[in-house]
Amino acid sequence: MEALEKVKKYNQEHLLKYKDEMSDNEFAELIKQIDNTDFSYLDELNQTNKTQDLNISPLEALTIDKINANKSTYEQMGINALKNGEVGVLMLAGGMGTRLGSDLPKGMYNIGKTHDLYIFECVFNNLKNITEKLNVKIPFFIMTSELNDEATRKFLKEKNYFGYDANFIRFFVQDMAPCVDFNGKIFLAEKNKLATSPNGNGGWFNSLLNNKDAKQLLEDSKIKYINFFGVDNVLVKMADPSFIGATILGDY
């Protein structure tokens, strides 16, 4: 069984210590979770814990003066990349609106005063400003979480994706990473359930590649660059030609 081989490979045999106390269904649930949980994070943890010399230096940043001096060059480069289908956008939308006083996905929060205006709506409108201006189709990847995936998909489908072409939208769920102690042993939340937590915003790329549909769109397209952003920023100008062009031309 693949799950049993995995726990042996990563020295996590303690996860099965309650096997004799479980029903067949409970044990099957545990095995399924082990199969679906990426244990490779444990390898990264081991690497992080090793003492090593690191050469860390600040990233180069563009000044306002440099941006203004090269704006037309940056913008044209970005427009070319967008028209050539080399740019995709990706929204980190796994959060809930708890701090906004809502138990719904954050993107479903209504920020309108005189009329309904949802956070998701603002994001889609911002993206359409670019796609309609340049007459291009930009693949749009949306990272949800186990908590809000179903609600997010249902809401956006009901809203007809606020006029965006659904053929260019792909949802994928953020991966969960195992929670471990200081010795790298995975915690059990229950006797048949691993303790896990979202793998963080930095894990979006692995999560994207682990989704068959999203990965397929990525492979079928000409995408070279992905502009990712958080759902929180309703003013974000994703796929902005100047930003894209400056990124392509810069040594970053």
Side-chain angles (χ1 to χ4, degrees), residues 52-242:
Q52 54 185 320
D53 294 327
L54 298 176
N55 183 15
I56 301 175
S57 58
L59 293 172
E60 182 183 349
L62 283 176
T63 64
I64 296 297
D65 289 341
K66 187 173 182 180
I67 292 172
N68 290 335
N70 297 280
K71 187 173 179 61
S72 60
T73 301
Y74 292 152
E75 187 171 37
Q76 190 57 55
M77 174 62 74
I79 289 173
N80 292 341
L82 287 161
K83 287 191 172 183
N84 289 333
E86 298 175 354
V87 180
V89 296
L90 187 148
M91 176 168 60
L92 308 176
M96 303 297 285
T98 308
R99 283 176 289 181
L100 298 174
S102 170
D103 57 359
L104 297 173
K106 192 180 298 181
M108 291 172 58
Y109 191 75
N110 189 345
I111 61 174
K113 289 296 184 182
T114 60
H115 63 282
D116 289 341
L117 181 64
Y118 304 96
I119 290 178
F120 278 141
E121 185 176 2
C122 293
V123 171
F124 276 91
N125 287 342
N126 294 346
L127 182 55
K128 287 191 298 180
N129 285 339
I130 291 294
T131 60
E132 292 174 359
K133 179 180 179 180
L134 300 181
N135 191 28
V136 296
K137 301 288 187 180
I138 301 178
F140 189 6
F141 302 95
I142 301 175
M143 187 176 81
T144 62
S145 66
E146 292 181 354
L147 286 175
N148 74 3
D149 182 66
E150 183 178 357
T152 298
R153 290 174 185 252
K154 181 180 178 181
F155 175 79
L156 290 177
K157 185 176 182 180
E158 289 175 349
K159 297 297 183 182
N160 194 30
Y161 307 99
F162 297 104
Y164 202 76
D165 190 341
N167 292 315
F168 289 84
I169 297 174
R170 292 294 185 277
F171 296 92
F172 66 98
V173 178
Q174 182 176 18
D175 287 343
M176 301 295 286
C179 299
V180 301
D181 62 19
F182 289 108
N183 297 313
K185 297 296 184 181
I186 299 173
F187 287 113
L188 283 169
E190 300 175 22
K191 63 183 180 181
N192 69 320
K193 185 177 181 180
L194 309 187
T196 60
S197 63
N199 68 352
N201 284 347
W204 67 263
F205 189 63
N206 282 340
S207 299
L208 173 67
L209 296 184
N210 286 335
N211 181 277
K212 182 178 179 180
D213 291 338
K215 183 180 179 182
Q216 192 64 54
L217 176 59
L218 190 64
E219 292 177 343
D220 290 344
S221 68
K222 300 177 182 178
I223 292 177
K224 295 181 180 179
Y225 314 98
I226 296 179
N227 180 188
F228 73 95
F229 57 94
V231 66
D232 315 71
N233 189 353
V234 297
L235 300 180
V236 63
K237 294 175 64 178
M238 73 289 286
D240 175 68
S242 295

